Amino acid sequence: MSSSGSGKRGVLFDVDGTLVDSNYLHAVAWWQAFRRMEHDVPMSAIHRAIGMGGDKLVEHLLGEDRNKDEDEQLDATHGAIFSTWWPSLRSFDGASELLKACSGKDLEVVLASSASGAELEFLRTVIEAESAITGATSSSDAEASKPSPDILEAALEAGGLEAANTVFVGDSVWDIKAAAKLSIPTIGVTCGGTSEAELREAGAEEVYENPRALLAALDTSLLGALINRS
């Protein structure tokens, strides 16, 4: 993390469920992975855990007394199943324009993702805002996944940013809890399937329906305040 007080301002974006409409496909992929290993986990429970990294998600859903030797295979199976849907992935309406608008107002734009390197590269093509993106993280950049703050620390470093000059945009309670550990204010979006009430209870300062809604309110949002800070 930058400690030089460079004065740069930036926005960290979660990707899955925030910029790309992928959360429910992740839930189905995990559901199928669990079934293949003879674990019958309700899909609704899986969806509520989406936003955690794979290691935390498996522990959260199967508990401490699970056969931990299966963890790696479960994660790999989820990834393999999910990859079959890559060609179907679409960004949310306004996602590309939102990133470009933030960049155009001199914010460093960093993707704070815990996807694999290959998956992240594909997600970047789906978002279609390459010229606006300063940096990005993948699962290899963090020892512990959300709700641990490691990915966000890596994202701050990738953008040469300090937490005090940054806003995070995410769609899950795990995103918000991770940001809170670094005192980064968070904007929540409900397009990933988590309600405004849950996002606010977790600590989101503002909540919008989707990237398009945040873009429409950009000047009066937390991002606008960050842009206009003297």
Side-chain angles (χ1 to χ4, degrees):
M1 191 187 315
S2 170
S3 58
S4 62
S6 67
K8 286 201 291 186
R9 300 165 191 175
V11 52
L12 313 181
F13 284 97
D14 173 63
V15 178
D16 285 300
T18 299
L19 300 174
V20 178
D21 192 4
S22 53
N23 278 5
Y24 290 93
L25 293 176
H26 273 299
V28 173
W30 277 114
W31 181 76
Q32 291 186 341
F34 284 130
R35 289 290 295 270
R36 289 185 188 185
M37 303 294 286
E38 299 185 350
H39 299 291
D40 197 359
V41 182
M43 209 175 296
S44 60
I46 297 170
H47 174 258
R48 294 182 67 80
I50 297 296
M52 288 183 165
D55 53 338
K56 299 279 178 65
L57 180 144
V58 171
E59 181 177 343
H60 178 73
L61 292 171
L62 297 186
E64 275 292 331
D65 57 352
R66 70 191 185 286
N67 178 3
K68 295 181 179 65
D69 293 339
E70 293 180 350
D71 287 10
E72 198 170 318
Q73 187 175 348
L74 281 166
D75 198 11
T77 302
H78 155 261
I81 295 169
F82 182 70
S83 71
T84 65
W85 285 312
W86 284 7
S88 303
L89 293 177
R90 296 291 181 271
S91 61
F92 286 112
D93 177 43
S96 176
E97 294 94 326
L98 176 60
L99 268 59
K100 291 173 182 175
C102 289
S103 176
K105 292 180 181 290
D106 296 325
L107 291 180
E108 304 294 326
V109 174
V110 182
L111 304 183
S113 171
S114 52
S116 68
E119 186 177 318
L120 177 63
E121 285 306 307
F122 188 83
L123 290 169
R124 289 174 74 145
T125 69
V126 172
I127 296 166
E128 295 184 333
E130 219 31 50
S131 63
I133 297 170
T134 301
T137 64
S138 67
S139 54
S140 61
D141 294 312
E143 214 167 289
S145 60
K146 297 170 191 170
S148 294
D150 295 30
I151 280 289
L152 299 187
E153 288 180 325
L156 289 172
E157 188 171 340
L161 296 164
E162 296 174 338
N165 296 323
T166 306
V167 170
F168 179 52
V169 182
D171 70 290
S172 75
V173 296
W174 316 111
D175 289 330
I176 296 161
K177 289 180 177 181
K181 291 173 182 174
L182 300 178
S183 299
I184 300 174
T186 303
I187 296 172
V189 288
T190 59
C191 49
T194 300
S195 71
E196 177 176 355
E198 289 173 289
L199 294 172
R200 287 195 180 277
E201 185 179 349
E205 294 189 28
E206 296 177 351
V207 179
Y208 298 89
E209 184 179 354
N210 50 36
R212 176 69 66 193
L214 174 52
L215 177 62
L218 187 61
D219 291 341
T220 56
S221 71
L222 280 175
L223 289 174
L226 180 62
I227 291 162
N228 295 320
R229 187 191 298 165
S230 56

